[in-house]
Amino acid sequence: MKVSTARFGVSTARRNQMLDITGQVQQAIARVGAREGVVHVYVPHTTAGITVNENADPDVAHDVLTKLASLVPHKDDYKHAEGNADAHIKTILTGTSVTMHITGGDLQLGEWQGIFLCEFDGPRQREVWLKIIADE
Amino acid sequence: MKVSTARFGVSTARRNQMLDITGQVQQAIARVGAREGVVHVYVPHTTAGITVNENADPDVAHDVLTKLASLVPHKDDYKHAEGNADAHIKTILTGTSVTMHITGGDLQLGEWQGIFLCEFDGPRQREVWLKIIADE
Amino acid sequence: MKVSTARFGVSTARRNQMLDITGQVQQAIARVGAREGVVHVYVPHTTAGITVNENADPDVAHDVLTKLASLVPHKDDYKHAEGNADAHIKTILTGTSVTMHITGGDLQLGEWQGIFLCEFDGPRQREVWLKIIADE
């Protein structure tokens, strides 16, 4: 077994956005030649998260972001002075990492699943960090 | 260290349900003979999640599901046309994977903890995927 | 690659509190001499969680806890008789574990990130469990 490290950047386009990063994760797995193991996907941010959900109908992402905005409004009675307390709270609800399985060299996903960076305070340049622990 | 893969299916009985899968995870650990390491528990679904919480009083699961239904109602102003946008959102709030520790061949759980598949769009047949990374 | 286990205790001071445990995790990594890999941080509790978020401005933690209390009030129409159903629900929303990366012997954190134990039913004595999977 071996540990490999990879990183890539993504640019978000809106304040709130779910950006599909599945392809970049698959490319990193192929590049290091991982066969059996896991990939830990992590964002080093406090106002953007990582999640796994449907990548077929973009209306799902729309509904997710709309509901989060109604539960955690942008403007509210927050103390944090930077105007993005909502983004911090949404990031905690979403989480900043996921662990995905690799079998036979392939990222294992359910039929409708994709990996998404969840931008809550964009547009920004964001980073995604990967640790791949796998047999080659 | 070695990577092992296991999968099992579960049947859910209601639209919203927390189903204790702790026993199946423990059996998989015993079957592969893992001694020291971790098990990554994953669901390949977009309307069902995985969580760790109390397995003693079933009222906890009732309260969790009731509160989630009040925060994310089944019927709301959603765009997703399949009628299960709430299930996608709840899945993102819950997460689709957990990583558990294995010590001395035993799944490490707190006194009151169990591992639950969280069904948000059942009843359905669901899958649980395991990657065990451990010494034997 | 090697699996190492570490544990430490923390005391919380209030019913709801975000307690920075980044230093204790870093010390455990140094103590086992891990160089390249991951650390799985886990709490064996059902009314306290683990998250990663901003450790610069304490107002962020204040806003997170205030918003969670408004979404999941302490007193509500709960069935669970112990008076802490809210703490169970908040723990599920937060999660009970995070996986962090280790590179060159260092815990990898974004510029503003820290690791927090999220107390939702304190004050209490709490435990944090670590599994470090890494090259030395």
Side-chain angles (χ1 to χ4, degrees), chain B residues 35-53:
Chain B
R35 300 293 303 166
E36 301 290 330
V38 294
V39 52
H40 301 288
V41 184
Y42 184 88
V43 282
H45 306 294
T46 58
T47 55
I50 289 275
T51 198
V52 173
N53 211 264

Side-chain angles (χ1 to χ4, degrees), chain A residues 35-53:
Chain A
R35 300 292 304 167
E36 301 290 330
V38 293
V39 52
H40 301 287
V41 184
Y42 184 89
V43 282
H45 305 295
T46 58
T47 55
I50 290 274
T51 199
V52 173
N53 211 263

Side-chain angles (χ1 to χ4, degrees), chain B residues 70-87:
Chain B
S70 107
L71 295 173
V72 188
H74 186 188
K75 303 294 178 194
D76 205 339
D77 189 22
Y78 300 121
K79 283 180 72 176
H80 185 50
E82 293 178 27
N84 61 358
D86 63 321

